[in-house]
Amino acid sequence: MISKVRSRVLPASQRRSLDELTQDLILSAGDTTSKRSAFWTMLTLSSVIAAGGVLTDSTATVIGAMIIAPLSTPIMGIALGSVQRRRTGSAPVVLLACLLVIAVGLVMSLALPGDYDLLSNSQISSRTSPGLMDLIAALATGMAGAVALARRDVAAVLPGVAIAISLVPPLVVAGVCLGHLSGWLALGALALFVSNFFALAFAGMVVFASLGYASEADRADKAAGRPARGASAAMALLFVVVFVPLTANTVATLLLNVWTGRTKDAAQQWLADEPGASVTSVDEHSRTMYIHVRTPGELPPARSLLELLEGRIPDGIPIVVDASQGRRIDAGTVGG
């Protein structure tokens, strides 16, 4: 059964040899000087492009940086080395590459004014609060990338894999946030990178082993390197490190969506007797609920809104009503 699935996914006529994969993914194999020169040059340029795209909130520019970035190569090299049961030197390369990209983001963040609102930038806000769906998508993307590397006829999908997996932009965002002393936002961006790194490395290990490269490596050198179970244990530990914060953030996001929906329902009930009044939106910022309303007349007493919210959202959450014509009402705190 496994052999049939393997032949379907990777026909023998399209299978790349282990030597070919090693030449492509291991920077310490073959012409090391040229490969490392190309890697560091393209990584530096892609980091600058990504930082420019992040600072100008340009999606197109960031996508261009994703396509150029070669960071997935040594990460897949880690996966292949684990399957081969030998050290390839890819891990130190990935670590140094991460430090370089973060440093580029930190330096270029100096171009932003000191009072710049980082969360108003969609390139930053979208990469500082990862959830489980990001991890699931990254795992699927990593598997697609590993299969594309193993086959000769689907290499055209690799740019799409580079775009989907997003490795350099989260590191640039982490550097920008560090430059503005926003440690929690930087941690969020690093969590996204670590989850993508785990997904790419784990998916590569699974695919390369499933497609027979592990047994091929064993035949080539049975005594090479450290045991495969060491890499498996490292992946298991990394999975826990990634899974726990992503799960917590996903739960928090779901709860926030529920509370936001309940707040909107209560606000609509609060304005039900006011002709022409409506709730345009409800959002949360800095643990405060902001209710945006449009009304031609006066608002009902704020106390009645707080009474409607009791039991629907946790006590202690401040409520602010933003009305039309620039009026803002601090309604108070739920349960206060």
Side-chain angles (χ1 to χ4, degrees):
M1 180 64 180
I2 295 178
S3 60
K4 288 183 179 180
V5 173
R6 182 187 301 172
S7 63
R8 296 270 185 174
V9 175
L10 183 59
S13 60
Q14 299 299 333
R15 178 188 176 88
R16 302 184 71 201
S17 68
L18 181 59
D19 287 340
E20 289 176 303
L21 280 180
T22 300
Q23 287 297 319
D24 285 349
L25 300 179
I26 309 300
L27 297 182
S28 58
D31 189 353
T32 302
T33 302
S34 297
K35 290 165 75 172
R36 289 182 175 174
S37 172
F39 173 81
W40 291 110
T41 299
M42 299 310 293
L43 180 67
T44 302
L45 292 174
S46 68
S47 301
V48 174
I49 294 171
V54 167
L55 296 182
T56 59
D57 201 357
S58 172
T59 301
T61 305
V62 173
I63 290 175
M66 292 178 187
I67 296 175
I68 296 172
L71 191 52
S72 61
T73 298
I75 294 177
M76 278 298 190
I78 292 175
L80 184 62
S82 299
V83 169
Q84 288 181 285
R85 301 186 180 185
R86 56 167 58 102
R87 301 176 189 273
T88 61
S90 297
V93 171
V94 172
L95 178 60
L96 291 175
C98 292
L99 295 176
L100 170 64
V101 178
I102 292 173
V104 170
L106 194 153
V107 170
M108 292 192 67
S109 71
L110 299 177
L112 294 176
D115 59 350
Y116 183 79
D117 183 6
L118 294 176
L119 292 179
S120 67
N121 186 318
S122 64
Q123 300 302 321
I124 295 177
S125 60
S126 64
R127 293 183 171 89
T128 53
S129 184
L132 284 177
M133 287 306 301
D134 294 294
L135 179 60
I136 293 171
L139 283 169
T141 304
M143 289 184 178
V147 171
L149 287 169
R151 294 182 60 137
R152 293 192 174 91
D153 58 341
V154 291
V157 308
L158 289 176
V161 171
I163 293 172
I165 200 66
S166 185
L167 295 169
V168 167
L171 292 173
V172 166
V173 169
V176 171
C177 293
L178 286 175
H180 273 248
L181 304 179
S182 297
W184 283 111
L185 293 181
L187 282 176
L190 286 175
L192 177 59
F193 169 77
V194 172
S195 67
N196 288 344
F197 166 82
F198 162 78
L200 195 60
F202 178 76
M205 289 172 60
V206 171
V207 171
F208 291 149
S210 300
L211 295 181
Y213 290 103
S215 58
E216 186 176 336
D218 288 343
R219 288 194 297 270
D221 188 355
K222 288 185 176 296
R226 56 185 175 181
R229 62 175 177 270
S232 300
M235 284 294 106
L237 177 61
L238 188 58
F239 174 76
V240 173
V241 171
V242 168
F243 184 78
V244 172
L246 263 60
T247 300
N249 191 56
T250 300
V251 172
T253 300
L254 291 174
L255 286 174
L256 182 59
N257 290 338
V258 170
W259 296 335
T260 301
R262 290 177 179 176
T263 301
K264 186 174 183 178
D265 291 341
Q268 289 173 337
Q269 186 178 348
W270 177 57
L271 296 176
D273 296 331
E274 299 298 322
S278 63
V279 179
T280 57
S281 65
V282 176
D283 55 63
E284 182 271 345
H285 184 66
S286 300
R287 298 185 67 252
T288 299
M289 283 289 183
Y290 291 88
I291 304 172
H292 305 278
V293 303
R294 182 182 291 111
T295 176
E298 294 298 322
L299 292 171
R303 186 64 206 172
S304 59
L305 173 61
L306 296 178
E307 290 174 355
L308 288 170
L309 287 170
E310 287 187 12
R312 297 192 182 188
I313 64 176
D315 292 344
I317 295 181
I319 304 296
V320 174
V321 179
D322 268 328
S324 56
Q325 301 176 349
R327 289 179 294 170
R328 171 172 287 194
I329 301 173
D330 187 353
T333 303
V334 176

